[in-house]
Amino acid sequence: MDPGRLRTWREDLRKAVASAVLDFEDRYGYPPDENVVSEPDMIAAARLGAVRPAIPADLVDVYAAVGAVDLPDVGNGFFLHRASDVAHIHESRDLWHVRGRHDADVVVFASDGGGTQYALATPAGSPVYRLPPDLVLDGIYTSEDPRFDMAAPDLSTFFDRLLQAVKTFAASSTPPSL
């Protein structure tokens, strides 16, 4: 993924998040938590890059431009995990394969506040799968749940959809769906 485009995406997401929490307390009756789109952690990004070829290049590129995304107040919440956490989870093989409706080796990189995880197929780097809560045994996620599906054909599209979901939430308080 293009580094300039990723930096622009990061800044656009920051603006959308700021808009989403602008009148949050008036709408919901309590103040928002800290919603953050952080700068990259270059040491963690390098560690993630060292896990290659298991970690797709596009995901390594993302972490060279974005540290983490913590959006607990956007809909049900959305979290782009830190690069160091992605590397650790993948190396420990906590969840490395999906099967059932789909069958692929994956790397988990994000989640929402309801237990759904998002995983990128490896080593090709596409598609991005949506993994609703289900059985994980010996690092293998197994599900026939119809929500276990492709969230996006590739990482770039996934991040475009995330940005649009945050903008929609900011404009209408409609919970985002990825």
Side-chain angles (χ1 to χ4, degrees):
M1 294 177 69
D2 176 56
R5 183 175 183 270
L6 285 165
R7 285 189 297 274
T8 298
W9 177 87
R10 180 187 68 214
E11 295 310 312
D12 289 348
L13 184 62
R14 283 182 173 156
K15 291 173 189 170
V17 170
S19 179
V21 297
L22 190 60
D23 62 348
F24 186 90
E25 190 168 1
D26 292 339
R27 283 186 284 160
Y28 298 104
Y30 59 92
D33 277 334
E34 191 172 358
N35 291 267
V36 178
V37 181
S38 65
E39 294 292 320
D41 176 340
M42 298 315 283
I43 294 170
R47 178 174 177 236
L48 186 65
V51 181
R52 289 207 24 85
I55 304 295
D58 280 353
L59 192 57
V60 174
D61 292 346
V62 166
Y63 284 108
V66 181
V69 175
D70 295 314
L71 306 178
D73 296 310
V74 175
N76 200 31
F78 179 82
F79 307 92
L80 173 66
H81 304 166
R82 286 159 182 66
S84 58
D85 295 336
V86 172
H88 173 75
I89 289 168
H90 194 70
E91 291 172 330
S92 65
R93 297 180 65 85
D94 288 344
L95 196 164
W96 63 274
H97 190 83
V98 296
R99 71 175 168 209
R101 292 178 47 85
H102 302 277
D103 190 1
D105 289 347
V106 296
V107 57
V108 174
F109 67 93
S111 59
D112 70 13
T116 295
Q117 298 183 80
Y118 297 92
L120 184 61
T122 63
S126 60
V128 174
Y129 293 107
R130 178 186 313 102
L131 313 176
D134 217 321
L135 177 67
V136 177
L137 187 60
D138 295 327
I140 300 172
Y141 171 92
T142 304
S143 181
E144 294 297 334
D145 187 324
R147 296 173 299 160
F148 168 33
D149 208 353
M150 190 173 71
D154 55 50
L155 204 53
S156 179
T157 303
F158 180 81
F159 283 111
D160 288 345
R161 288 179 181 171
L162 172 61
L163 177 59
Q164 188 56 49
V166 174
K167 287 179 177 180
T168 299
F169 180 77
S172 67
S173 296
T174 303
S177 175
L178 291 175

